Amino acid sequence: MVHDPVQLEKERPDRLRVLWLSTIGFTVMFAVWLMFGVLGVPIRKEFGLTDVQLSWLSAVAILNGSLWRLFAGILTDRYGGRLVFTLMLFFTAIPAYLVSQAGSYQELLLYAFLVGFAGNAFSVGIAWNSAWFPKEQQGFALGVFGAGNVGASVTKFIGPALIASIPPAGYLGGLIPGGWRFIPFLYAVLLVLMGFVLWFGTPRQDKRPGQGRPFLEMLAPLKYVRVWRFSLYYVVVFGAYVALSAWLPKYYVDVFGLPLQEAALLTALFIFPASLLRPLGGYLSDRLGARRVMYWTFGIILVASGVLMMPEGHIVLYTKGGTKEVMQFTMNVWLFTALVFLIGVVGGSDEEGAASWIKWNLKQPVVCFIGGRSAPKGKRMGHAGAIIMWNVGTHESKLNAFAETGISVADTIDEIVDLVKNAFG
């Protein structure tokens, strides 16, 4: 795609407004999406829930935050991110408020499912920023936007303190609820405010790269098996990230008897490396080969998970001289945290690794889009804005890796369909 330098400079203030406001909005939405990780502990106590019932609250929210990502991205390309993102913020505010008013488990389950719609904001923001930024600036833009993943830690940091400090009766005669109910109430207010800020703070003339394209044409890549296979790989790494982010606070409280505030902070120790150290996988893939690194990644996750699920106790041997206890095992909180931290560290991957795997395993034509093509001078930017090291992660290294493999690279999301049609006929 050819960009007019004069037009690009003229649109620069508008692009930056889209970037920063969408990033703030995504941070709030991500915090709302995973808020039940902390809220689940007091909710279980108030409603007398079983572990299975509590797990369903987090599960339905996460499920609904994944189901509509493809369609949310397509709608953004068609109608513009300003409209789609604003509507998502306003819509999510409704069930967030209703969570604060829930009087039964059935109501909580329904509202949790609807709140989960917040998770689809990721694909909206990616498509929106990609439409506004030229390819030589998309790496910086998408890196900044992706940093909104830190929203997963927001409730972990502020939730326990607010729950403890706000009286259960709330304020203004209960108009502002107290205890754990204050958190979803606060998020509902923030979502509405963010919706107005986004609508009035971003350009009225939005970018719509997918306007006029047939819907089925935009779904063309889904007919290729490799798309689904790589999605399954992502289920393991990102699925583990989301699942542990939501479940660890409750686990720390139940198993290790920690107060909620300490449990939330230890969970944050998993969240940060799970995002910031992902690009290390790119360096190792470049040096050792993507297939080998992928096997080691899944292997380490399997071993760490195997140790995590080991029951505490010992083996009793019956001998002629009586019984003997051997192989005593106790999982303390520091060993547990270290293993969870390890899972977060090894769950990383990158574009160069994907190119290497494709080179040695696929013979058919492949088309791709790099969601991060550049970075500020002197730095290299990767997933979620993580600064990465050595010579891996620059847009040049990504393009070179794909060029050597014979992969066609789309400059923007809306060019993917044309490349697919050219590559596959």
Side-chain angles (χ1 to χ4, degrees), residues 92-340:
T92 308
I94 298 173
Y97 172 77
L98 292 175
V99 168
S100 71
Q101 305 297 313
S104 68
Y105 172 68
Q106 289 73 22
E107 291 179 7
L108 273 175
L109 202 61
L110 173 61
Y111 302 152
F113 177 78
L114 296 176
V115 159
F117 194 69
N120 299 286
F122 178 76
S123 57
V124 175
I126 289 293
W128 191 16
N129 281 282
S130 296
W132 272 96
F133 282 82
K135 63 179 181 180
E136 60 271 13
Q137 298 178 13
Q138 285 180 3
F140 173 73
L142 300 184
V144 171
F145 175 79
N149 278 336
V150 76
S153 296
V154 171
T155 311
K156 274 74 173 175
F157 285 120
I158 70 171
L162 289 176
I163 292 172
S165 61
I166 304 297
Y171 300 106
L172 301 178
L175 182 63
I176 300 177
W180 67 265
R181 296 175 183 271
F182 179 76
I183 304 300
F185 175 85
L186 175 63
Y187 282 152
V189 173
L190 291 177
L191 287 168
V192 171
L193 292 177
M194 193 66 231
F196 282 114
V197 170
L198 196 74
W199 181 255
F200 291 106
T202 53
R204 298 187 63 176
Q205 297 297 324
D206 207 354
K207 303 286 186 180
R208 301 178 179 88
Q211 192 173 30
R213 285 181 177 270
F215 180 74
L216 293 179
E217 182 179 303
M218 301 179 76
L219 295 177
L222 295 181
K223 66 182 179 181
Y224 301 105
V225 176
R226 68 176 65 89
V227 174
W228 299 96
R229 186 164 62 246
F230 279 102
S231 296
L232 290 177
Y233 299 156
Y234 194 59
V235 165
V236 176
V237 289
F238 189 70
Y241 166 78
V242 173
L244 288 172
S245 297
W247 196 246
L248 280 176
K250 181 260 182 193
Y251 192 87
Y252 276 119
V253 170
D254 287 354
V255 176
F256 299 108
L258 298 180
L260 182 58
Q261 188 167 4
E262 291 182 16
L265 291 176
L266 288 177
T267 302
L269 289 179
F270 162 77
I271 292 174
F272 281 106
S275 294
L276 299 181
L277 294 182
R278 282 188 177 189
L280 181 60
Y283 170 74
L284 296 176
S285 295
D286 188 57
R287 296 297 187 271
L288 305 176
R291 175 185 281 255
R292 182 183 298 178
V293 172
M294 184 175 65
Y295 287 156
W296 274 101
T297 297
F298 292 154
I300 292 174
I301 292 177
L302 179 63
V303 171
S305 301
V307 177
L308 287 172
M309 71 180 184
M310 287 177 60
E312 295 190 358
H314 55 267
I315 296 176
V316 178
L317 297 180
Y318 293 90
T319 64
K320 292 181 179 180
T323 61
K324 184 178 181 181
E325 298 177 356
V326 299
M327 297 183 65
Q328 295 188 10
F329 175 77
T330 300
M331 176 68 73
N332 60 54
V333 64
W334 301 115
L335 175 59
F336 179 85
T337 302
L339 290 170
V340 170

